[in-house]
Amino acid sequence: MKLYSYFRSSAGWRVRIVLALKGLDFDLIPVHLLRGGGEHLGAEYAKTNPQRLVPALEDDGAVFAQSLAIMEYLEETHPTPSLLPGDAQDRARIRAFCQAIACEIHPLNNLRVLKYLVRELGCDEDAKLAWYAHWIQEGFRPVEKLLEGRDGPYCFGAEPTLADACLVPQVFNAERFNVDLSAFPKVQAVNAACLAHEAIAATVPALQPDAE
Amino acid sequence: MKLYSYFRSSAGWRVRIVLALKGLDFDLIPVHLLRGGGEHLGAEYAKTNPQRLVPALEDDGAVFAQSLAIMEYLEETHPTPSLLPGDAQDRARIRAFCQAIACEIHPLNNLRVLKYLVRELGCDEDAKLAWYAHWIQEGFRPVEKLLEGRDGPYCFGAEPTLADACLVPQVFNAERFNVDLSAFPKVQAVNAACLAHEAIAATVPALQPDAE
């Protein structure tokens, strides 16, 4: 398998966590999101992924886009260990958790959105950072609620699931932009547990071959 | 089953399409997104869905959030007709299509985002509409590419799938805000086919009990 990604892409990181938890080997093909205006926007990468976003996963002669779809694909093709365990209700809760991050927080703080704020709306650095923090804090409030009453150490119990694969990169982004997370102790505790997990620890951006 | 939704919520509409295609009965519980600052933000609705978003689906004593998670739940609990057919690769493509809309377009044009643009960033009506159109056109470009070379009439062939359930409400939103869709003939053709489908036709916002 080949993973097209960028060390700091949080959607790419989600997939790295899933690959690591399932013990799957892959070749990393770095796609630099900043260099030359973004290698992902170039004609070459468009041949691989017409959506021009990272990550993309190449497997068995085909290329797949969208991190959550890739994660489900890996779950279907490599079901052990399951990262989407339980019955239909359990699975719906794990998926809803993933989407509370992947559909409600991350899209608003994507690089291309931040660029639009600055270039088209004339936002200064403070306004950009306030936007960034706003959507993380708005978005982590329900995520924290979803973790209340749960024992941990991971989002859905004793083993990591797709939910944890979504949580960790989002917390990393928040910390990178100095967003105050003091209102989200459960989010922070799960994140710490994940980063202490051997397989997940190896997936952090700083340890990737394309890290800067 | 109970569906908490708002007639014009496009995430709610996705779920209505899935319920209709599977021939499932449900009670609609309207949640008005504008009245009194938004009923979904009130304490009452938070008891049902702590994420304070519509839609939510109540089934078998539990409540599920996030439209894509609900759609997968309905697919697992009511597998016939399948709206996520084929092998793991086919399913990955359908899910990626869904997410190209649900993760890349819709979150940026949500009501709460438009409110932030106006209230916090001081955007005027023109800037707001330009933002709205920008993300639809940016987002439909790869969606159109995903439809190229496909025969239709639906996104993935002769029968509607979860992809169509995501496409139709997004096209409706685009048309409602007069976004130019002339660059996306495949998107428009699939949308027309869907609206001519008897079950889908009954799900349009104007026909819902809470329509205004």
Side-chain angles (χ1 to χ4, degrees):
Chain A
M1 286 192 280
K2 287 184 195 167
L3 179 66
Y4 296 80
S5 189
Y6 176 62
F7 75 107
R8 219 150 50 191
S9 155
S10 56
W13 189 0
R14 292 176 199 151
V15 176
R16 284 204 305 274
I17 292 175
V18 171
L19 289 162
L21 289 171
K22 290 183 176 289
L24 299 170
D25 285 331
F26 63 96
D27 293 326
L28 176 80
I29 316 290
V31 181
H32 204 292
L33 296 192
L34 301 173
R35 198 184 293 148
E39 289 176 359
H40 61 301
L41 301 176
E44 192 57 38
Y45 184 63
K47 288 181 210 160
T48 301
N49 180 10
Q51 290 197 38
R52 296 173 189 241
L53 295 168
V54 296
L57 183 81
E58 193 171 328
D59 184 37
D60 211 6
V63 177
F64 303 100
Q66 289 292 339
S67 61
L68 296 186
I70 295 169
M71 291 153 78
E72 296 263 2
Y73 172 78
L74 292 169
E75 178 68 15
E76 292 192 4
T77 52
H78 301 275
T80 309
S82 175
L83 304 181
L84 197 49
D87 63 17
Q89 293 207 351
D90 297 323
R91 293 156 64 88
R93 286 187 193 100
I94 295 171
R95 287 184 172 119
F97 188 100
C98 292
Q99 288 155 22
I101 291 172
C103 300
E104 306 298 341
I105 303 177
H106 182 246
L108 294 161
N109 289 347
N110 234 329
L111 187 59
R112 60 196 179 129
V113 176
L114 302 180
K115 276 188 191 166
Y116 190 101
L117 291 178
V118 172
R119 290 181 192 169
E120 305 298 329
L121 301 183
C123 286
D124 60 18
E125 191 66 11
D126 283 351
K128 190 180 89 173
L129 293 176
W131 165 281
Y132 200 96
H134 176 79
W135 297 114
I136 287 180
Q137 292 176 326
E138 275 288 296
F140 269 162
R141 207 165 300 147
V143 167
E144 180 77 12
K145 278 216 174 295
L146 292 174
L147 294 174
E148 275 173 15
R150 296 193 171 272
D151 295 333
Y154 305 109
C155 290
F156 285 87
E159 299 296 337
T161 64
L162 298 187
D164 302 280
C166 290
L167 186 77
V168 169
Q170 192 59 66
V171 172
F172 176 87
N173 286 350
E175 290 176 342
R176 192 174 150 236
F177 281 82
N178 297 313
V179 178
D180 180 10
L181 298 181
S182 57
F184 315 113
K186 284 274 190 183
V187 165
Q188 292 189 78
V190 168
N191 181 60
C194 288
L195 292 177
H197 184 294
E198 195 180 344
I200 298 176
T203 66
V204 300
L207 297 180
Q208 302 317 301
D210 59 331
E212 287 163 6
Chain B
M1 285 190 281
K2 286 183 195 168
L3 178 67
Y4 295 81
S5 189
Y6 176 62
F7 74 108
R8 218 150 52 190
S9 155
S10 55
W13 189 0
R14 292 175 198 150
V15 176
R16 285 203 304 274
I17 292 174
V18 172
L19 289 163
L21 289 171
K22 290 184 177 287
L24 299 170
D25 284 331
F26 63 97
D27 292 326
L28 175 80
I29 316 290
V31 181
H32 204 291
L33 296 190
L34 301 173
R35 198 183 295 148
E39 289 176 358
H40 60 302
L41 301 176
E44 191 58 36
Y45 184 63
K47 288 182 211 161
T48 301
N49 180 8
Q51 290 196 39
R52 295 172 188 242
L53 296 167
V54 295
L57 184 81
E58 193 171 328
D59 184 37
D60 212 6
V63 177
F64 303 100
Q66 289 292 340
S67 61
L68 296 186
I70 295 169
M71 291 152 78
E72 295 264 2
Y73 172 78
L74 291 169
E75 179 67 16
E76 292 193 2
T77 52
H78 301 275
T80 310
S82 175
L83 303 182
L84 197 50
D87 63 16
Q89 293 206 353
D90 297 323
R91 294 157 63 89
R93 287 188 192 99
I94 295 172
R95 287 184 171 120
F97 189 101
C98 291
Q99 288 154 22
I101 291 171
C103 300
E104 306 298 340
I105 304 177
H106 182 245
L108 294 161
N109 288 347
N110 233 328
L111 187 59
R112 61 196 177 129
V113 176
L114 302 180
K115 275 188 192 168
Y116 191 100
L117 292 178
V118 173
R119 289 182 192 167
E120 305 296 328
L121 301 182
C123 286
D124 60 17
E125 192 66 13
D126 283 352
K128 190 181 88 173
L129 292 176
W131 165 281
Y132 200 97
H134 175 80
W135 297 114
I136 287 179
Q137 292 176 326
E138 275 288 296
F140 269 162
R141 207 166 299 147
V143 167
E144 180 78 12
K145 278 215 174 296
L146 292 174
L147 294 175
E148 275 172 15
R150 295 192 171 273
D151 295 333
Y154 305 109
C155 290
F156 286 86
E159 298 296 336
T161 64
L162 297 186
D164 302 280
C166 291
L167 185 76
V168 169
Q170 192 59 65
V171 173
F172 176 87
N173 286 351
E175 290 175 342
R176 192 174 150 234
F177 281 81
N178 297 312
V179 177
D180 179 11
L181 298 181
S182 57
F184 315 112
K186 283 275 190 184
V187 165
Q188 291 187 80
V190 168
N191 181 61
C194 288
L195 292 177
H197 184 294
E198 196 181 343
I200 298 176
T203 66
V204 300
L207 296 180
Q208 302 317 302
D210 59 331
E212 286 163 7

